Amino acid sequence: MNGRIVIAGTGVAGATAAKTLRAEGYRGEIVLLGAEPGLPYRRPMVSKELLAGTAEERRTLIADAEFWRSREIDLRPGVVVERLDVDRTRVVLADGSEIGYDTLLLATGARARPLPGTSGGAYVLRARAEVEPLRAALAAGSLLIVGGGLIGCEVAATARALGAEVTVLHAGLTPLDRVAPKLLGEFYRNLHAENGVEICTEVLLDRVEQDPDGVLAVAADGRTWRAGAALVAIGSVPDTRLAESAGLLVNDGIVVDEHYRTSVEGVFAAGDVATRFDPERGAHVREEHWNSAQAHGAAAAKSMLGISPGTPEVSWGWSMQYGLSLQFAGHIREEDELVVRGSFDDPAITVLGLRGGRLVGAVGVGRPADIRAARDLIGKHAHLDPVACADESLALGAVATGIETVALSN
Ligand SMILES: Cc1cc2nc3c(=O)[nH]c(=O)nc-3n(C[C@H](O)[C@H](O)[C@H](O)COP(=O)(O)OP(=O)(O)OC[C@H]3O[C@@H](n4cnc5c(N)ncnc54)[C@H](O)[C@@H]3O)c2cc1C
C-alpha cells in the first residue's frame, strides 16, 4: 500500500501506529500531527516521575528525535487539527492549511473531565505541560484533590513526597473503585492515611471556588475544605470533537469495529478515544490504559494496511503509589466471587474475580507474576477452582499450565 496516512494525535496510540506502519513495511508518507509541543512521551510518568521531578527527559520519551527522522515519519508537534473534511479526504489545521490523506487515523485520546461549579484555582493533570503549574501550586503547602481514582491517588502520593499536606475528596465508597474491589480500596485508604493523606469518601461536591487563601470546596451536605490549591481528577472524557463535527458515529468514544474502522470509509480510530467492538463480549468497549492504547495503535496500523489485527491482549494497567505497584487485568466487579491470595501484611496480595467460575479480572499489589498469569488465564477463558487459586503454595502460573487439573476448560 502506498499514499499518505495522516495520524491525528501523538499519544501512545498515534505514535505506536506510526512506528508499526514502518515496521510492517509501509513505504508511503506518514504524517503524525499532535497538539502538544515536543516529542511523544510516556503519559503515565506525568503523575509519577515528572511531577516528582525524578525523571530525566530522555527517559520520558517514547522514542528520540533520531528515531522519527530515520523512519521518515513526518512528526509535527504543536499542530492542532481543527476540522476534518471527510468528503474531500483532508484535515484542516488550526492555521487554515490543509493536508490530504488516503487513510486517516484518529488517536486524539481523552481530556480531563471538568468539574461543574469550579470557578478557578483548580488544576488538572494530563499533559506534560501541566506538571510545572501544579508543582508551583504545591508551594502553597496544601493540596485538595477531587477524585480518588488512579490519577488522584497517584498525585496524592507524589504531592506528599514533595511535602504538601494532601486531602482527597472522593464521591465513591472506596478509593480506586473503578479498578479495585472494596477490600483493596480500604487497603489503599489506610495506606494513604499512614502516609498522612486523608481520603474522604461519599463526598458529593457542590462547588470549588477560589478564595483569597487558595480554594474552598463545598459539599452538597454543607461540609467544607480549604487548601492552597485544588486538583480536579474525576476521570476523563474521550476527545471526540473532531469526529463528532465530521459526522462520525460517536457513543462514549468514536465507534469502531473490530478492525478499528469508523463509520466513515478510510477513517480509523484507536486508543482512549475509540470504543471498539469486542466480538467476545458482544459489545463496544473503551479502555483508558497505556497498554490498551499501545496495542490499539499497533493493531489499527495493521488494519490500515489490510493485515488482520489479531485478537487484542487482555486489557491491563498499573499504578504506583508510595513505591507499591498496583496492577490490574480484565474487568473485576464487586459482585464477582472474589478470591484472595496472599496477605495485606507484606503487603503482597492478589484479588481474583470469578464469574460463574471463570476468571474475569485480577488486581494485585506487589504481585506482577500473578497478574501476568491472570492475563493469560483470562485470555484463555479459564474456569478456576477458588480453593486452588487461594493456595499460595501453587503459583498462579502453575495453575495456568495445569489447566486440565485445576481449571476446567471453557
Ligand atoms: C496523568 C496520567 C497518568 C496515567 N498513568 C497510567 C498508568 O500508570 N498506567 C496506565 O495503564 N495508564 C495510565 N494512564 C492512562 C494512559 O496514559 C492513557 O490510556 C494513554 O496515554 C492513552 O493514549 P492515547 O494515545 O489514546 O491518548 P492520549 O495519550 O490522550 O494522546 C492523545 C493526543 O492527541 C492530541 N490531540 C487531541 N486532539 C487533537 C487535535 N485536534 N489535533 C492534534 N492533536 C490532538 C492530544 O493533545 C494528545 O497529545 C495515565 C493517564 C494520565 C493522564
Side-chain angles (χ1 to χ4, degrees), residues 105-288:
L105 176 68
L106 297 174
T108 48
R111 289 177 288 135
R113 185 186 298 280
L115 178 69
T118 310
S119 66
Y123 295 82
V124 294
L125 188 64
R126 268 202 74 83
R128 182 168 50 189
E130 289 158 348
V131 168
E132 273 317 311
L134 180 61
R135 274 175 71 84
L138 288 179
S142 58
L143 181 70
L144 201 57
I145 298 178
V146 183
L150 287 166
I151 294 176
C153 285
E154 283 182 2
V155 172
T158 309
R160 222 28 224 130
L162 292 170
E165 293 293 320
V166 182
T167 305
V168 178
L169 308 179
H170 185 58
L173 292 173
T174 45
L176 301 167
D177 42 11
R178 264 193 55 222
V179 296
K182 283 198 189 82
L183 78 166
L184 269 183
E186 284 303 341
F187 167 78
Y188 271 90
R189 190 209 298 262
N190 294 335
L191 178 69
H192 280 270
E194 281 160 21
N195 284 279
V197 173
E198 187 186 4
I199 300 186
C200 309
T201 51
E202 297 181 80
V203 177
L204 285 182
L205 266 195
D206 181 56
R207 60 189 185 278
V208 178
E209 54 194 43
Q210 208 156 15
D211 79 356
D213 300 323
V215 290
L216 170 70
V218 183
D221 60 10
R223 280 179 294 168
T224 57
W225 293 266
R226 283 181 195 282
L231 173 80
V232 174
I234 54 169
S236 55
V237 285
D239 199 338
T240 55
R241 290 172 294 185
L242 283 178
E244 272 174 81
S245 61
L248 272 67
L249 191 59
V250 168
N251 183 9
D252 182 37
I254 303 173
V255 176
V256 296
D257 65 11
E258 52 194 292
H259 300 286
Y260 302 86
R261 295 178 294 216
T262 70
S263 56
V264 169
E265 208 187 326
V267 183
F268 293 69
D272 281 13
V273 77
T275 178
R276 175 182 177 274
F277 183 71
D278 176 351
E280 252 179 43
R281 293 164 76 183
H284 282 84
V285 180
R286 193 173 72 78
E287 307 281 359
E288 287 181 0

Side-chain angles (χ1 to χ4, degrees), residues 8-14 33-36 43-44 46-48 79-82 107-110 125-126 151 154 239 242 270-273 288-291 293 316-319:
T10 50
V12 66
L33 306 169
E36 290 188 61
R43 197 171 300 284
V46 163
S47 50
K48 307 176 188 72
V79 171
V80 176
V81 178
E82 192 72 32
T108 48
L125 188 64
R126 268 202 74 83
I151 294 176
E154 283 182 2
D239 199 338
L242 283 178
D272 281 13
V273 77
E288 287 181 0
H289 306 310
W290 176 263
N291 296 297
W316 68 283
W318 79 94
S319 174

